[in-house]
Amino acid sequence: MIPIAKPYLTEAEAQAAYDTILTGWITQGPKVAAFEEAFAAYTGAKHAVAVSNCTTALHLAMIVAGVSEGDEVICPSMSYIATANAIRYVGAHPVFAEIDPVTYNLDVKDTEKRITSRTRAILLVHQIGLPADIDAFQQLAQKHGLVLIEDAACAAGSAYKGGRIGSHSSLVCFSFHPRKVISTGDGGMITTDNPAYAQRLKLLRQHGMSVNDRVRHESAKIIFEEHLELGYNYRMTDIQAAVGICQLQRLDAIVEERRKIAYRYHEALADIPGIRLPLEPEGYFSNYQSYSVRLLDDCAIPRNELMQQLLDEGISSRRGIMTSHRERAYLPAYADVSLPVSEVASDNSIILPLYVPMKEEDIEKVIAVFRRLLLPA
Ligand SMILES: *Cc1c(COP(=O)(O)O)cnc(C)c1O
């Protein structure tokens, strides 16, 4: 069976976890600090704050952005559901905007139409690793006095107009779940250029504690911590961070390999009628976290049937990105919401296997079976 995705973990990661365990310091300590420093340097952001996953990163980003009860935050419905959930965690209301039918990223014009006096922020998603038009959204946010937060869960290693994702906005949230391009098991990171944000994020992730364990441990004088505000336990462990440091060193090489496989698919599938392959506009650099193919009206076979036939041939696939407003957790509050572009795109997309290292014969098998199913003799 060819899987849909696979984390690229080696002896180096296993050794790093092993070594960390034997140091006796296993949660948020020196390895987390080193991973943060390396991640900030990699992205070009001034600060990076590690947390337990991207969902908790988004939750803390909402808090430091000042989003609270009754506020509205505009985001795509077509995203993993954690995007919208993070808005609800602070009592705010997700307002779903449409996506661009070609890039699947948030549509700037439709977003502007949905701004009201209660809108506080825009949560911009870089869909499966393809950056959204950050400049356009920064301008929009500025014009209306809104905070721009980036959900870059899938976008580690992607770049926009020459700058790596993480370097553009004041709150950018990443995921290291195994389904993403690099993984720490679970894990997340927030990059920011704002020192006050960084400081508050570090407080919030550790129970609102004024002194972290490491400072207390290294102090020659006794210190008593204070708890300054309602905080959370959103720590990353040092075991995860040690793995993350290894993964980050390999990130560019992984992205390069992913892009090579994506180009193989582009070339081999380009002549099939009734489908649209992913594209990368000028100035946008995708890490190809997923390779999603859009099935058009004249496609030879319906999406679910295609998925089943691929599975019968030993090839895993996934449906395209979900829409949040049609999930039970959002119905009935969103029963009146209609987002035709997102709905049609979600229902008619299929994600193909792409991981590193992917065996040559497996790449060829995916191509051959996909072609056979979509080009009936
Ligand atoms: C994966 C994902 C998340 C959640 O990340 P976790 O680290 O699993 O919490 C959030 N947003 C998007 C767009 C994602 O793809």
Side-chain angles (χ1 to χ4, degrees):
M1 180 65 67
I2 300 176
I4 187 75
K6 212 158 55 171
Y8 186 26
L9 300 168
T10 67
E11 285 293 327
E13 282 82 2
Q15 188 66 46
Y18 180 97
D19 292 344
T20 302
I21 288 166
L22 292 182
T23 68
W25 196 301
I26 52 174
T27 198
Q28 190 185 287
K31 289 291 188 316
V32 164
F35 185 32
E36 290 172 336
E37 206 172 298
F39 200 84
Y42 176 84
T43 55
K46 284 210 182 73
H47 308 274
V49 178
V51 289
S52 48
N53 56 65
C54 185
T55 308
T56 55
L58 291 167
H59 182 193
L60 297 188
M62 289 294 146
I63 297 172
V64 303
V67 178
S68 62
E69 195 81 37
D71 287 340
E72 291 175 359
V73 177
I74 301 174
C75 69
S77 170
M78 189 178 169
S79 179
Y80 186 57
I81 200 164
T83 304
N85 285 352
I87 297 166
R88 291 174 62 183
Y89 294 161
V90 293
H93 183 69
V95 173
F96 295 125
E98 273 290 21
I99 49 151
D100 178 282
V102 175
T103 65
Y104 309 106
N105 275 315
L106 207 53
D107 180 319
V108 69
K109 287 208 186 76
D110 192 67
T111 301
E112 183 160 29
K113 277 192 215 142
R114 294 174 200 260
I115 295 173
T116 72
S117 58
R118 283 165 36 166
T119 309
R120 180 86 197 194
I122 299 168
L123 182 49
L124 187 62
V125 179
H126 303 304
Q127 211 79 263
I128 58 175
L130 177 68
D133 188 357
I134 299 170
D135 283 352
F137 282 93
Q138 275 178 342
Q139 277 165 23
L140 184 66
Q142 206 158 27
K143 178 174 160 194
H144 293 272
L146 309 176
V147 186
L148 182 67
I149 301 168
E150 292 175 50
D151 179 343
C154 297
S158 296
Y160 171 78
K161 297 188 180 172
R164 285 205 175 112
I165 296 300
S167 63
H168 301 93
S169 305
S170 59
L171 288 164
V172 187
C173 302
F174 294 88
S175 172
F176 307 122
H177 181 271
R179 184 66 184 83
K180 316 300 184 189
V181 170
I182 55 171
S183 182
T184 58
D186 259 307
M189 190 75 80
I190 308 157
T191 58
T192 180
D193 278 346
N194 182 327
Y197 280 180
Q199 200 181 4
R200 185 145 181 243
L201 290 166
K202 287 182 176 180
L203 207 71
L204 288 168
R205 72 172 170 186
Q206 193 180 5
H207 308 291
M209 249 171 78
S210 59
V211 184
N212 71 38
D213 295 329
R214 194 173 168 208
V215 169
R216 194 170 44 188
H217 176 76
E218 288 168 357
S219 174
K221 295 219 164 73
I222 61 165
I223 314 181
F224 295 118
E225 68 283 7
E226 289 181 288
H227 296 89
L228 304 175
E229 62 173 312
L230 178 67
Y232 303 86
N233 176 1
Y234 287 170
R235 281 184 297 249
M236 175 182 278
T237 71
D238 259 28
I239 305 167
Q240 291 168 301
V243 171
I245 291 165
C246 297
Q247 288 272 281
L248 187 61
Q249 286 165 356
R250 242 204 297 282
L251 175 54
D252 282 343
I254 291 174
V255 169
E256 201 182 311
E257 280 306 306
R258 298 187 72 88
R259 291 174 61 85
K260 278 188 198 152
I261 299 167
Y263 285 122
R264 292 282 303 281
Y265 284 160
H266 290 342
E267 274 177 21
L269 308 178
D271 63 327
I272 299 176
I275 64 171
R276 192 161 61 218
L277 302 177
L279 82 135
E280 196 180 44
E282 182 78 33
Y284 294 67
F285 182 88
S286 175
N287 63 6
Y288 285 98
Q289 181 268 339
S290 290
Y291 193 89
S292 179
V293 178
R294 173 71 180 274
L295 310 184
L296 303 170
D297 288 344
D298 55 340
C299 182
I301 172 173
R303 198 265 314 263
N304 295 358
E305 203 179 313
L306 176 61
M307 288 179 69
Q308 186 60 54
Q309 293 205 25
L310 285 166
L311 193 62
D312 294 344
E313 301 264 3
I315 298 170
S316 302
S317 65
R318 293 286 181 274
R319 62 173 177 164
I321 309 153
M322 61 180 295
T323 57
S324 303
H325 71 286
R326 294 184 295 177
E327 292 293 318
R328 286 263 295 278
Y330 283 77
L331 290 165
Y334 289 78
D336 295 339
V337 172
S338 163
L339 295 159
V341 182
S342 303
E343 291 168 17
V344 173
S346 178
D347 295 344
N348 297 286
S349 298
I350 177 172
I351 294 174
L352 298 183
L354 203 174
Y355 47 87
V356 178
M358 190 167 172
K359 277 194 225 133
E360 184 56 34
E361 67 206 65
D362 290 345
I363 299 171
E364 272 168 16
K365 181 174 172 186
V366 172
I367 289 169
V369 174
F370 198 81
R371 285 187 66 82
R372 173 154 51 77
L373 293 173
L374 287 178
L375 283 173

